[in-house]
Amino acid sequence: MFVPYARQSINEEDIAAVTNVLRSDFLTQGPAVPAFEHAIRTYCNAAYGVAMNSATSALHVACLALGVSPGDIVWTSPISFVASANCALYCGATVDFVDTDSETFNISIEALAAKLAAAKLTNTLPKVVIPVHLAGQSCDMVSINALAKKYGFKIIEDASHAIGGTFQGIPVGSCQYSDITILSFHPVKIITSGEGGMALTNNAALADSMSRTRSHGITRDANLFNNLSDGPWYYEQIDLGFNYRMTDIAATLGLSQFKRLDSFVTRRNEIAQTYNTLFAGSNIVTPIVPIDVVSAFHLYVIRLPFSGTQKQQFFEYAHQHNVGLNVHYIPIYQQPYFAKMGFDSSKFPAAENYYREAVSIPMYADLTLEQQQHVASVLISAAATVSH
């Protein structure tokens, strides 16, 4: 049987929950959406949660809430999905990247500090920095927060991979060291709502702004009206917003999945430890997790010193032996749309090396020991085959 690199875990309780909401009075934004928001923000120790139809939407709305606009600069990691950079472009801002750490693959604190010092001299400091918790592993948020205080930028944590993880014993999403944190509930993430995302914050004004922007910029709060109300039906559009709302169908699935969040993260960490053991003694480099981090292990990324066409051969060998692989990610600046902006790849040596070496292997909560043993056996053989 083919072992995919990822898959969702849906049980009968999830199916029953969605069936029940389909029989209810609410399909779009009803009681399930605020219930889901409450469950997630409480779990993450954040004051506010704003659910949306995707993490991409949440990133966009977060940038808008922080006032990102034409003339501003936003920095993020080059090793991420393109949404981490696109959200700034949607606002008319300029995007730049910070090279990654050679062990964790998150934003390098040393590279960030050096880039900020240089940017201050040329008056090109970023308005917002978006650190990405790659594979479910938190960035060094204490250091990033200290740099934010020194240089005056805002922080959006892209924690799309990381719900259920912790940093220094604090849940990812607490926003203790950031202005806003973004979560994703895409099917291959830790828990799923089908498609969906959420923005967490401890700032009431940011939460209010994001709540309006996700729903056309409309308010029914009489305290915010420009005109006198015409009656109980009255509402006003006071901002230019979007239809980024989460449905009750999605929120209900998310709530059902949320019940298993801790067990999913525990299981993913068990799978990671098994892989570490299975690959011990081979030339496959396994993930390095700092001692003060508990990774949610959305991804399990191995590295090999590929050259030439070896990586493609490795993929082909694995596929022929029923093992699905992927790469997370192609550096964003290599994408044709971004390449036109003139990025110099030599400024990102760690990201370049990561892309040359990195492979995402099967990681999901329902992965069995037998499947893991098969994956490890195939990949160790593949590595030996392509290196000769």
Side-chain angles (χ1 to χ4, degrees):
M1 182 178 293
F2 188 81
V3 184
Y5 93 89
R7 62 174 300 171
Q8 65 270 24
S9 177
I10 302 294
N11 66 13
E12 291 302 318
E13 188 175 345
D14 297 332
I15 294 168
V18 172
T19 300
N20 288 338
V21 79
L22 289 171
R23 294 191 176 105
S24 75
D25 293 331
F26 298 96
L27 297 185
T28 54
Q29 277 205 311
V33 172
F36 187 41
E37 291 170 338
H38 180 268
I40 298 298
R41 68 175 174 81
T42 301
Y43 178 88
C44 294
N45 289 344
Y48 306 96
V50 183
M52 293 179 229
N53 59 5
S54 71
T56 300
S57 298
L59 283 164
H60 182 195
V61 167
C63 284
L64 291 171
L66 292 174
V68 175
S69 60
D72 291 330
I73 301 169
V74 174
W75 292 357
T76 189
S77 170
I79 302 299
S80 182
F81 188 56
V82 292
S84 303
N86 286 347
C87 57
L89 300 182
Y90 297 155
C91 302
T94 298
V95 172
D96 201 355
F97 302 99
V98 181
D99 202 13
T100 53
D101 181 86
S102 60
E103 290 189 347
T104 67
F105 320 132
N106 287 329
I107 277 182
S108 164
I109 302 304
E110 292 75 17
L112 177 59
K115 194 177 183 81
L116 287 165
K120 185 175 183 179
L121 296 175
T122 58
N123 197 31
T124 56
L125 284 168
K127 185 166 192 172
V128 173
V129 172
I130 306 177
V132 178
H133 301 330
L134 187 69
Q137 178 170 299
S138 177
C139 298
D140 179 354
M141 293 308 303
V142 168
S143 296
I144 295 172
N145 180 265
L147 289 169
K149 291 177 179 176
K150 180 177 180 180
Y151 290 100
F153 59 83
K154 300 295 186 180
I155 302 172
I156 300 172
E157 294 179 68
D158 186 346
S160 295
H161 295 182
I163 187 172
T166 65
F167 172 68
Q168 296 186 351
I170 299 167
V172 170
S174 71
C175 299
Q176 181 165 338
Y177 301 110
S178 64
D179 298 278
I180 301 170
T181 299
I182 306 302
L183 305 173
S184 173
F185 309 115
H186 182 275
V188 298
K189 297 303 196 303
I190 311 301
I191 61 172
T192 185
S193 60
E195 278 279 11
M198 192 175 295
L200 301 174
T201 185
N202 295 322
N203 183 302
L206 292 178
D208 288 345
S209 173
M210 292 188 291
S211 294
R212 282 196 306 275
T213 304
R214 72 171 169 183
S215 189
H216 305 283
I218 286 173
T219 184
R220 293 182 181 273
D221 184 349
N223 295 317
L224 299 177
F225 288 168
N226 287 269
N227 305 309
L228 292 175
S229 171
D230 294 335
W233 64 87
Y234 190 72
Y235 61 87
E236 287 187 355
Q237 181 188 337
I238 60 174
D239 297 311
L240 180 61
F242 304 87
N243 185 356
Y244 284 168
R245 293 172 301 202
M246 177 178 277
T247 68
D248 254 34
I249 300 169
T252 297
L253 175 57
L255 271 169
S256 181
Q257 288 262 302
F258 171 71
K259 298 174 184 177
R260 292 187 285 158
L261 172 56
D262 285 337
S263 65
F264 282 158
V265 173
T266 298
R267 178 63 187 139
R268 285 171 176 269
N269 275 270
E270 291 171 351
I271 290 168
Q273 289 302 316
T274 298
Y275 272 142
N276 292 345
T277 300
L278 291 171
F279 289 125
S282 74
N283 63 340
I284 291 173
V285 179
T286 55
I288 297 171
V289 180
I291 194 169
D292 60 352
V293 170
V294 174
S295 177
F297 271 109
H298 163 52
L299 303 171
Y300 187 93
V301 180
I302 62 170
R303 287 179 295 150
L304 281 162
F306 294 116
S307 62
T309 61
Q310 287 180 338
K311 192 168 185 175
Q312 183 175 342
Q313 293 167 2
F314 186 84
F315 265 66
E316 290 171 350
Y317 184 100
H319 189 84
Q320 289 166 5
H321 292 80
N322 294 321
V323 173
L325 305 175
N326 210 331
V327 173
H328 298 85
Y329 295 91
I330 302 170
I332 298 174
Y333 55 78
Q334 288 189 14
Q335 297 294 342
Y337 186 86
F338 286 87
K340 292 184 292 186
M341 301 176 194
F343 291 103
D344 180 358
S345 62
S346 68
K347 293 182 178 179
F348 312 105
E352 289 287 302
N353 189 60
Y354 169 86
Y355 179 50
R356 184 168 51 252
E357 296 184 344
V359 176
S360 300
I361 73 172
M363 167 58 86
Y364 49 92
D366 295 333
L367 198 64
T368 66
L369 175 59
E370 183 181 13
Q371 287 173 318
Q372 278 196 270
Q373 291 169 333
H374 173 67
V375 169
S377 175
V378 167
L379 298 187
I380 291 170
S381 295
T385 299
V386 302
S387 64
H388 290 92

